[in-house]
Amino acid sequence: MTQTHLQLTDEYFLKAGGDEFVLFHFDEEETKQLTQSQYEVLRQLQLGTPVDSVLDGFDRESRDHVREFLEFLRRENVLEESEAVPQEVPPPVDEPRLKLAHLDVTEGCNIACTHCYQEPYLHQGEGLSIDQIRRIVNELYWMNVESVIVSGGEPLTRPDLFEIIDLIEQRYIRVQDILTNGMLITEETIEKIRSLRSSPNIVVSLNGLTPDSDDEIRGQGTNEACKRGLERVADSDIEAHVCSVATTVNLEELPEMYEYLMDLGVKRWRVGLAQVEPDTTEEGHFDIDLDEYQSVSREIVEKHLETETDMRINIEGIFKEEVFEFGYSKYEPDSIICRYNERSCCVKPDGTVTPCTLLHDYECGDVTDEQLEDVWTGDTMREFKQTTVSEVIPEDCRTCDALEYCGGGCRWWSWNVDDTLAGRDPRFCQNMQYFVDEILPMVEERTETKPTPL
């Protein structure tokens, strides 16, 4: 007779670091907080320890609580009797635990966007081999990482992309997003994505509705090809997201683009400013008049508030829907400078590790000759991750009524333009003041919703 043991169902896995113990739902990226005792019970079960042996480690009163806990998880379909071989479970790591890794799997790309923030790494060589990526993924597993974003270059130019994704999923790490320009998405690609356990979001970069507003920046024929790929995703049951860069040639058609994406069934749309200095292109495509950007953004927000839709929007510096739905992390002088990247890092196509995908030359290490864990806990990475708002913002920022929302803005501008973390992004500064003065009261009046600090 085959012996069974109580084990987590295949949708769940344990992640832990410091005093944080979580039950991680693989498909939905949902975490349930556990006590240390609950975590240890479940970890022992995953390792194949019989329930009676686990209970022997508790006094009589505590055993009853453990039984109730296990029975509750059975009813919730979190635990089941299984014949599967007991699993190895990484022990808790020290704080700070890396939760999200941005993995750039290739330096290859099939187009040449003039605003690409990855440009320094593209077409520079072979990139990471499958064996190197396998080692990185194994490290992520033992570091208790929950999720990975897969990007490039263009990840679909890599023939073994889905082998890489399989390696990630086999180590109980969820593929959260696949970032793509959409041009290489075929019906076969859709079927492969459908078969993934992670149910990743497909994030397509699309900068306009027409070739006139897109091809001049990304290359002839790209607009139609990108839209075909996006429409294939949207026509499937895969969640489609879109990222757009506002330019001088697409700004006026962004409100119409909102309608197009909403009608397609896109779930999230992000509009941002190009991460290039405004004067680096001869054509001046990214030298946007911020008053015009704000006016168009307000038109989109007003349209969105009047529309019943499942699509969520995020317009850089102007409107982020989650702030009103779920609240926001209020910045204080002693807050770290980047909440978004507090528990994440980026592995570039050549193995360089940076604290953020945008800070391409803020090099913290190289996974081709170092352990990722050593880079993550190393001095260079810690210096960035522990830098506080008060250490980098100019004096006049300290009394600004937008500071609690922006924290001084993204460090991209100050690092890449001013060669220091201390400074400000003048574009973000002006847009955040517009948010506080115009967008915030308008949204509050129309929705009777006021963002609250978390």
Side-chain angles (χ1 to χ4, degrees):
M1 184 175 177
T2 304
Q3 186 174 7
T4 65
H5 58 278
L6 195 61
Q7 193 175 50
L8 294 172
T9 58
D10 204 38
E11 291 82 12
Y12 289 92
F13 201 71
L14 297 169
K15 306 283 184 179
D19 59 357
E20 181 185 42
F21 305 91
V22 297
L23 185 60
F24 180 72
H25 192 289
F26 188 84
D27 301 322
E28 299 177 2
E29 201 181 13
E30 176 186 55
T31 57
K32 300 179 185 297
Q33 299 298 315
L34 301 173
T35 66
Q36 184 173 358
S37 178
Q38 290 170 335
Y39 169 85
E40 291 297 341
V41 166
L42 295 179
R43 186 166 187 267
Q44 288 302 312
L45 293 177
Q46 290 299 95
L47 294 171
T49 307
V51 173
D52 288 345
S53 298
V54 172
L55 292 173
D56 285 344
F58 295 87
D59 59 40
R60 179 175 298 180
E61 182 178 354
S62 297
R63 287 177 197 167
D64 291 336
H65 291 303
V66 173
R67 289 191 185 96
E68 290 175 5
F69 171 63
L70 297 181
E71 187 55 39
F72 169 76
L73 294 183
R74 281 177 182 266
R75 293 195 303 270
E76 295 294 312
N77 297 315
V78 175
L79 285 173
E80 65 180 2
E81 291 291 337
S82 174
E83 298 177 1
V85 176
Q87 299 177 7
E88 57 180 359
V89 181
V93 296
D94 294 332
E95 287 281 23
R97 177 168 68 94
L98 178 66
K99 291 186 177 182
L100 171 68
H102 192 121
L103 182 59
D104 296 333
V105 297
T106 180
E107 47 74 48
C109 192
N110 54 333
I111 58 177
C113 303
T114 57
H115 61 286
C116 182
Y117 62 82
Q118 292 283 56
E119 191 273 333
Y121 294 93
L122 298 184
H123 313 298
Q124 298 298 313
E126 294 298 321
L128 294 169
S129 69
I130 186 70
D131 288 336
Q132 288 173 316
I133 290 177
R134 180 180 290 107
R135 179 179 62 79
I136 293 167
V137 170
N138 193 53
E139 287 188 60
L140 294 175
Y141 173 75
W142 288 102
M143 291 172 71
N144 281 260
V145 170
E146 296 173 8
S147 303
V148 162
I149 294 175
V150 173
S151 183
E154 169 51 55
L156 289 171
T157 62
R158 183 155 182 158
D160 57 359
L161 173 65
F162 287 95
E163 181 181 351
I164 292 171
I165 292 176
D166 186 53
L167 290 174
I168 296 169
E169 292 189 333
Q170 284 180 14
R171 300 306 266 164
Y172 288 90
I173 302 169
R174 181 176 186 265
V175 178
Q176 174 182 305
D177 302 311
I178 300 175
L179 277 52
T180 173
N181 58 46
M183 294 178 68
L184 301 179
I185 294 177
T186 63
E187 291 303 327
E188 181 182 3
T189 310
I190 295 295
E191 290 308 311
K192 288 181 178 179
I193 296 170
R194 273 202 182 110
S195 69
L196 299 176
R197 287 186 57 207
S198 298
S199 303
N201 308 308
I202 305 303
V203 184
V204 177
S205 56
L206 181 68
N207 290 341
L209 285 178
T210 63
D212 288 344
S213 62
D214 204 2
D215 287 6
E216 192 171 346
I217 293 168
R218 304 206 294 168
Q220 187 173 0
T222 55
N223 181 260
E224 292 300 325
C226 291
K227 286 199 297 185
R228 281 195 299 272
L230 171 62
E231 289 165 8
R232 285 192 177 105
V233 176
D235 287 343
S236 72
D237 52 359
I238 300 167
E239 188 159 314
H241 297 185
V242 170
C243 280
S244 304
V245 172
T247 70
T248 56
V249 291
N250 74 3
L251 195 57
E252 290 185 357
E253 71 177 32
L254 289 179
E256 186 180 352
M257 193 169 173
Y258 171 87
E259 300 281 358
Y260 166 74
L261 298 178
M262 183 182 64
D263 290 344
L264 271 186
V266 168
K267 295 301 183 185
R268 290 185 181 273
W269 182 34
R270 183 187 186 278
V271 180
L273 297 171
Q275 302 300 336
V276 296
E277 293 181 66
D279 58 355
T280 55
T281 60
E282 292 182 8
E283 299 82 0
H285 289 145
F286 311 113
D287 193 9
I288 290 182
D289 183 293
L290 290 182
D291 289 336
E292 293 181 15
Y293 174 75
Q294 292 162 4
S295 177
V296 169
S297 298
R298 181 178 181 120
E299 181 181 347
I300 295 171
V301 173
E302 289 178 336
K303 185 189 295 285
H304 187 65
L305 296 178
E306 295 168 357
T307 306
E308 289 189 15
T309 176
D310 292 333
M311 186 168 75
R312 294 292 175 261
I313 65 172
N314 177 357
I315 305 176
E316 183 182 346
I318 303 292
F319 179 80
K320 188 174 183 180
E321 197 149 2
E322 288 86 349
V323 167
F324 294 90
E325 289 187 335
F326 307 116
Y328 66 100
S329 297
K330 182 178 179 179
Y331 280 101
E332 304 283 0
D334 61 349
S335 299
I336 60 168
I337 54 176
C338 184
R339 293 267 173 73
Y340 178 78
N341 288 298
E342 180 181 3
R343 295 292 192 92
S344 67
C345 70
C346 179
V347 179
K348 293 295 184 181
D350 64 351
T352 300
V353 183
T354 64
C356 165
T357 187
L358 296 178
L359 297 178
H360 54 77
D361 62 349
Y362 194 106
E363 299 179 4
C364 298
D366 186 338
V367 291
T368 62
D369 57 22
E370 298 176 79
Q371 296 292 313
L372 180 58
E373 185 174 12
D374 292 338
V375 178
W376 172 247
T377 58
D379 292 343
T380 306
M381 183 71 75
R382 289 301 99 213
E383 180 182 0
F384 179 88
K385 298 295 182 180
Q386 294 171 2
T387 299
T388 64
V389 170
S390 62
E391 294 176 83
V392 298
I393 59 173
E395 189 63 34
D396 58 338
C397 282
R398 301 173 191 274
T399 56
C400 177
D401 53 0
L403 180 63
E404 66 178 279
Y405 297 101
C406 76
C410 178
R411 292 301 99 193
W412 173 86
W413 182 284
S414 58
W415 180 253
N416 288 287
V417 179
D418 299 330
D419 296 320
T420 175
L421 287 179
R424 78 174 101 212
D425 179 342
R427 307 171 306 170
F428 197 78
C429 184
Q430 186 173 329
N431 286 333
M432 283 305 300
Q433 196 60 60
Y434 182 78
F435 165 75
V436 171
D437 293 343
E438 301 291 337
I439 297 297
L440 188 58
M442 184 265 288
V443 175
E444 291 179 2
E445 179 182 354
R446 297 193 181 198
T447 66
E448 300 182 350
T449 302
K450 185 174 183 177
T452 55
L454 296 174

